[in-house]
Amino acid sequence: IVKDIVGNVVVIPIGQTQVNGANIIKLNNNGAFFIRNIISEKTKEDIVDLYADLYSEDLDDAREEYDKFIDFAVKSGFLELSKNGEEND
């Protein structure tokens, strides 16, 4: 679950039945950018290109940031990868 609360983007891990402060994750600007674009069903390369343009990064650095976010999101439980490796929120 992704919510915008008073200008902060927060996520709640998949399968959580009760919401409390301990299971809410506040995303930084980069995380908010990535999750919003994943939700809008853009491809990885589209997201990486947008990120590189927005933050004046080269594509390799942008891909690395994206991959780090995906790893964090999966480990934190608010994003699942499908069998083909695509993101599911």
Side-chain angles (χ1 to χ4, degrees), residues 19-50:
V19 177
N20 59 51
N23 62 2
I24 295 175
I25 301 166
K26 179 182 168 193
L27 298 178
N28 65 15
N29 289 339
N30 292 354
F33 172 86
F34 287 130
I35 199 67
R36 285 181 175 140
N37 282 283
I38 290 167
I39 289 170
S40 71
E41 299 185 9
K42 290 183 176 77
T43 66
K44 175 182 179 176
E45 285 308 310
D46 287 343
I47 296 170
V48 166
D49 287 343
L50 288 169

Side-chain angles (χ1 to χ4, degrees), residues 12-82:
I12 301 165
I14 298 166
Q16 293 291 321
T17 57
Q18 293 183 337
V19 177
N20 59 51
N23 62 2
I24 295 175
I25 301 166
K26 179 182 168 193
L27 298 178
N28 65 15
N29 289 339
N30 292 354
F33 172 86
F34 287 130
I35 199 67
R36 285 181 175 140
N37 282 283
I38 290 167
I39 289 170
S40 71
E41 299 185 9
K42 290 183 176 77
T43 66
K44 175 182 179 176
E45 285 308 310
D46 287 343
I47 296 170
V48 166
D49 287 343
L50 288 169
Y51 183 86
D53 288 344
L54 182 64
Y55 292 101
S56 300
E57 298 262 346
D58 75 21
L59 288 175
D60 289 335
D61 290 341
R63 270 188 212 91
E64 184 178 325
E65 288 298 317
Y66 177 89
D67 291 340
K68 284 195 285 189
F69 174 76
I70 295 300
D71 185 53
F72 165 76
V74 170
K75 287 179 180 174
S76 298
F78 66 88
L79 188 72
E80 293 178 336
L81 297 179
S82 67

